[in-house]
Amino acid sequence: MKIAISSDHGGNNLRKEVMSLLDELNISYEDFGPQNSDSVDYPDYAKPVADGVASGKFDRGIVICGTGIGMSIAANKVKGIRCALVHDVFSAKATRCHNDSNILAMGERVIGPGLACEIVKAWLGTEFEGGRHTRRIEKITELEG
């Protein structure tokens, strides 16, 4: 599995925690930054992750900002992306099982690093159920035009 990851300045610290977890789990990733805490525009950092996942270069992506809201909105503008904003383990599992989410968004100002790492582990370790959910994913894809 190969992961694309990025944040804006508001998610920089949590992104580093998540990358440490990915290192521990021996999961390959590419970091799209930013490399310092200067203020940046979150769409500029959501786009390379979303483009990479949509193109198939990466299996999944993780985006982090202050709340996770801006990054998830920006990522979801890219065709083929199903980015889920998640702040609990149950939702992390559900969005993989039922929605086949391919990008996870989280907010550094909303959750701490311990919970974020548990969410990432649950999200990465959960597979899409398929079945009746496939029809629903196909309907989401139709909305993209």
Side-chain angles (χ1 to χ4, degrees):
M1 181 179 296
K2 187 161 186 187
I3 305 294
I5 187 168
S6 72
S7 69
D8 70 356
H9 57 282
N12 211 17
N13 294 324
L14 190 57
R15 186 182 93 254
K16 291 175 184 174
E17 294 281 345
V18 171
M19 288 189 305
S20 292
L21 172 66
L22 296 174
D23 288 335
E24 288 174 27
L25 297 174
N26 202 28
I27 294 174
S28 175
Y29 64 89
E30 187 170 335
D31 175 21
F32 288 92
Q35 301 310 316
N36 58 48
S37 59
D38 295 345
S39 181
V40 297
D41 297 332
Y42 56 83
D44 297 337
Y45 290 85
K47 185 171 176 25
V49 171
D51 286 345
V53 172
S55 73
K57 180 178 179 183
F58 299 97
D59 300 301
R60 296 193 204 162
I62 299 171
V63 293
I64 304 167
C65 62
T67 62
I69 297 168
M71 289 290 254
S72 65
I73 291 171
N76 277 317
K77 296 297 181 183
V78 174
K79 187 174 183 174
I81 295 305
R82 289 176 307 281
C83 179
L85 174 58
V86 174
H87 291 133
D88 63 85
V89 173
F90 174 81
S91 296
K93 291 177 182 178
T95 192
R96 284 291 308 133
C97 284
H98 297 177
N99 310 120
D100 197 19
S101 62
N102 51 15
I103 297 182
L104 171 67
M106 297 184 291
E108 180 176 319
R109 297 177 185 143
V110 180
I111 58 172
L115 178 54
C117 288
E118 291 303 312
I119 288 168
V120 169
K121 286 191 278 189
W123 186 74
L124 291 174
T126 303
E127 294 300 321
F128 178 52
E129 281 182 10
R132 71 185 189 278
H133 304 293
T134 301
R135 179 181 73 251
R136 296 165 186 159
I137 299 305
E138 290 168 353
K139 288 183 177 189
I140 291 171
T141 302
E142 289 174 13
L143 293 173
E144 294 176 334

